[in-house]
Amino acid sequence: MAQAMRPNTAGGLFATDGKSHPLQDAMLAVTLVLGITSFITAMFHHLHLLSSWTGLVGILTGAYGQWISVTTRERFGLVLGLGAAAVGFFLGMAHGGLFGGLLD
């Protein structure tokens, strides 16, 4: 039972391999912030520009984050952010799109 007494010496909150991953953690944070912003603003019809653009950028950063992710914890957070960004993007597109009302 010696392993039960060892302290957790992992490099970061999401680094389960003991190494730090600053780029992956940054992509995770950006994707989560964009996804939450897009999801919340998609609930308001007049904020469709914000929700569609933040959703689109959140999808792109989340996809790149998935590509470079190393640990399962990073991937889990990225999937949550990607899902929220996708829902916000699609609802924003349904409410007026990326340029709705600007090109009239």
Side-chain angles (χ1 to χ4, degrees):
M1 287 301 261
Q3 67 273 14
M5 298 302 291
R6 288 188 199 143
N8 186 5
T9 58
L13 179 62
F14 298 107
T16 55
D17 60 352
K19 301 174 187 169
S20 65
H21 304 116
L23 178 62
Q24 289 85 353
D25 292 341
M27 295 302 288
L28 171 61
V30 168
T31 302
L32 282 173
V33 167
L34 289 171
I36 290 168
T37 302
S38 177
F39 184 78
I40 290 173
T41 58
M43 303 306 160
F44 305 99
H45 294 309
H46 61 282
L47 294 176
H48 63 86
L49 290 173
L50 181 61
S51 64
S52 59
W53 279 106
T54 55
L56 179 62
V57 174
I59 291 169
L60 294 175
T61 58
Y64 181 68
Q66 281 283 9
W67 187 49
I68 65 169
S69 66
V70 178
T71 64
T72 303
R73 289 183 183 175
E74 292 167 354
R75 293 183 188 117
F76 178 76
L78 284 166
V79 166
L80 291 178
L82 270 166
V87 169
F89 173 71
F90 291 131
L91 288 175
M93 292 299 287
H95 293 157
L98 296 169
F99 301 105
L102 293 180
L103 302 176
D104 292 338

